[in-house]
Amino acid sequence: MVINNIVERVIKYRGLRLKEETGGRNIWVYGYYVKRGMYIEEPQPHIFDFNHGYAGYRVQLGTVCQYLGVHDCKKQEVYEHDIVTVHDKAWVKEFGKYHLIKWSSDEMDDDFGTSFIGFCALPYFMSALRTKNKIEVVGNMFDTPELLSEITL
């Protein structure tokens, strides 16, 4: 959203609900991330969805993913741990078909601290991501782990 030439940054997360609360199914919840309550050892991660009556859900810690603030070519939100492909034959030939978006603090990362595993031409990739016309989310490391074996490192 743009108000008076100021871009509002959307900060939100997604996470997989605890399997014991969903009958073993992978159910994603989207919203705000907090750690709350005292459970066995420490506060449990929650995602709060304020769009549906302020519902809070406990989520699996390792599945919490932050929204990057951009959409792919099909207007799907792009999150950390998504697996993407680039619709550019030259790119695929040189760098491979699938790439994992992962948070990192490595000095080689872009200004947002986001790295793209399997990429070595990061400025070109960030340009493609910002133009939204070449990047497509094809899965994520939790729902489509079989794609991880196809990522070229």
Side-chain angles (χ1 to χ4, degrees):
M1 172 185 290
V2 178
I3 301 172
N4 295 329
N5 294 325
I6 298 173
V7 176
E8 179 182 305
R9 181 172 178 215
V10 176
I11 299 174
K12 67 178 175 179
Y13 296 83
R14 71 176 179 199
L16 282 172
R17 290 189 56 194
L18 296 178
K19 290 200 182 253
E20 59 265 21
E21 295 179 359
T22 64
R25 295 177 297 146
N26 278 356
I27 297 179
W28 289 100
V29 289
Y30 297 80
Y32 302 95
Y33 170 66
V34 296
K35 282 190 173 182
R36 87 179 260 236
M38 288 306 293
Y39 293 85
I40 297 171
E41 295 180 15
E42 60 184 42
Q44 180 72 35
H46 286 70
I47 299 287
F48 280 86
D49 178 359
F50 296 118
N51 295 321
H52 296 97
Y54 192 72
Y57 302 97
R58 290 191 303 161
V59 295
Q60 302 169 44
L61 179 59
T63 68
V64 175
C65 310
Q66 187 171 6
Y67 172 54
L68 268 60
V70 296
H71 293 80
D72 71 357
C73 63
K74 294 187 175 182
K75 300 190 183 339
Q76 182 174 339
E77 295 177 336
V78 181
Y79 284 83
E80 175 185 16
H81 302 302
D82 277 344
I83 298 172
V84 298
T85 190
V86 180
H87 293 291
D88 181 307
K89 289 180 183 179
W91 177 272
V92 170
K93 183 177 180 181
E94 186 166 352
F95 302 112
K97 184 172 182 179
Y98 297 114
H99 307 278
L100 176 67
I101 297 176
K102 183 172 166 65
W103 176 261
S104 173
S105 60
D106 190 328
E107 292 178 15
M108 297 302 292
D109 297 333
D110 72 7
D111 296 336
F112 301 109
T114 306
S115 65
F116 302 89
I117 307 303
F119 287 90
C120 58
L122 189 57
Y124 173 81
F125 181 75
M126 286 307 297
S127 174
L129 184 60
R130 287 186 179 113
T131 62
K132 305 172 190 171
N133 61 356
K134 293 187 178 187
I135 305 301
E136 180 181 355
V137 175
V138 294
N140 63 62
M141 64 184 286
F142 309 104
D143 294 332
T144 51
E146 65 276 7
L147 295 178
L148 291 172
S149 64
E150 299 187 42
I151 294 174
T152 306
L153 297 178

